Amino acid sequence: MLDNAHLVALCNEKLMPGLRDQVGKTSLYWKRAYGDKSAKDKYKASVELSKMLSYGDKPPTETDGKFTTVIPTEFHGEMQMAVKYRYLVGDVLLTDSDKISNQGDAIVDLVATRIKNSGTGIKKRAGEVIFTGNNATNPLQIDGLGVVIDDANTWAGINRTLNPWFAAKKIDSGARVWTRDEINLMHVNLTTGLEERPTLQITHQTLWLKAAETLMEMDKALSAHKGLAEVGIENFIMNGSMVIKDVYCPEGWWIHLNENVTNLYVEPTMDMKMEDFIPVSNQPHAQVSYIKFGYVLWCEEPRLNGIHKNLTLTA
């Protein structure tokens, strides 16, 4: 009979890499932020990330380089941000009856099926909360894009009402009709330098289709076709950055994201790793192994991101 330690080791070696790959394909944004990244770029081993930020410019002193004495001055435009990791936990339950009824490869197949079921749940939940994030009902969820890209809430320990330099650009359109000019204006206002500009735009499929159709109408060669499928458009560039539709992006949202300052980090020891089986307190003939996924959305320059909410389509 395969003992628990060898079963866990076998699962981590043979099954978990495939599960990580599936989580990486949760959605288009997940693929970019997690699935396509190297271990060097996506792993940060810490339960809390923190950094000192500067929110002002200390002017230099001009001298002739020889006779002028430079008197140092204090600079108070500094503040520390801190963001905690959050965790999604799946579980694999194994009973004594399971072990007796499934020997050799059969027990591995049984556990593999249960891992897949837990992984599917983690994948779906991760796709949802990366956008909506935590709230009063679910305070243990990750700070999603809708929480990070905001202008009024306290995030990373910094009150953005009192410290507007740490606020993102947010426009609640109040069910206002979508126009391309409105999207363009947000993009222009967020562009302040070569790297200080949105690198990705994310929206719901309905708005994405509207934008694609608008661009097609501007191009006579494309407008001759009847639909997007015939043209073969999957993603397109607008204002120099790719526009993608994400199945988990809430309807009415249009996100302008600077990926140079906004990153999804994963705790390397909790990247869909199966832990040792432990007894279940209320089930004497059962053991459980937990599958943990620790991750955090990190952004040290929220002001370089923007979001529209409650956009609607033209009639």
Side-chain angles (χ1 to χ4, degrees), residues 95 140 149 168 217 253:
T95 66
L140 296 181
I149 307 175
E217 291 170 1
W253 285 25

Side-chain angles (χ1 to χ4, degrees), residues 4-73:
N4 287 351
H6 285 92
L7 179 60
V8 170
L10 182 63
C11 289
N12 278 325
E13 179 184 357
K14 300 294 184 181
L15 302 177
M16 304 317 285
L19 188 55
R20 292 188 198 103
D21 184 55
Q22 288 302 310
V23 172
K25 297 175 181 176
T26 296
S27 67
L28 285 177
Y29 178 61
W30 261 99
K31 187 175 185 299
R32 289 174 68 98
Y34 172 77
D36 290 346
K37 279 191 175 181
S38 65
K40 174 179 174 292
D41 293 329
K42 71 181 176 184
Y43 288 140
K44 281 200 178 291
S46 176
V47 294
E48 181 177 271
L49 299 179
S50 62
K51 184 173 182 177
M52 288 300 299
L53 302 178
S54 169
Y55 58 89
D57 297 322
K58 185 176 180 180
T61 301
E62 296 178 349
T63 78
D64 61 7
K66 184 176 182 181
F67 299 105
T68 305
T69 300
V70 177
I71 306 299
T73 57

Side-chain angles (χ1 to χ4, degrees), residues 99-158:
K99 295 179 182 179
I100 295 171
S101 303
N102 298 273
Q103 301 289 322
D105 291 342
I107 191 67
V108 177
D109 290 340
L110 176 65
V111 172
T113 300
R114 293 179 180 175
I115 287 175
K116 181 181 178 181
N117 292 338
S118 287
T120 301
I122 290 176
K123 175 181 173 181
K124 182 177 184 296
R125 195 62 175 154
E128 294 169 346
V129 301
I130 197 65
F131 286 98
T132 56
N134 61 55
N135 51 45
T137 306
N138 297 292
L140 296 181
Q141 291 177 357
I142 188 176
D143 295 332
L145 290 169
V147 176
V148 174
I149 307 175
D150 205 309
D151 61 356
N153 64 340
T154 295
W155 181 69
I158 299 177

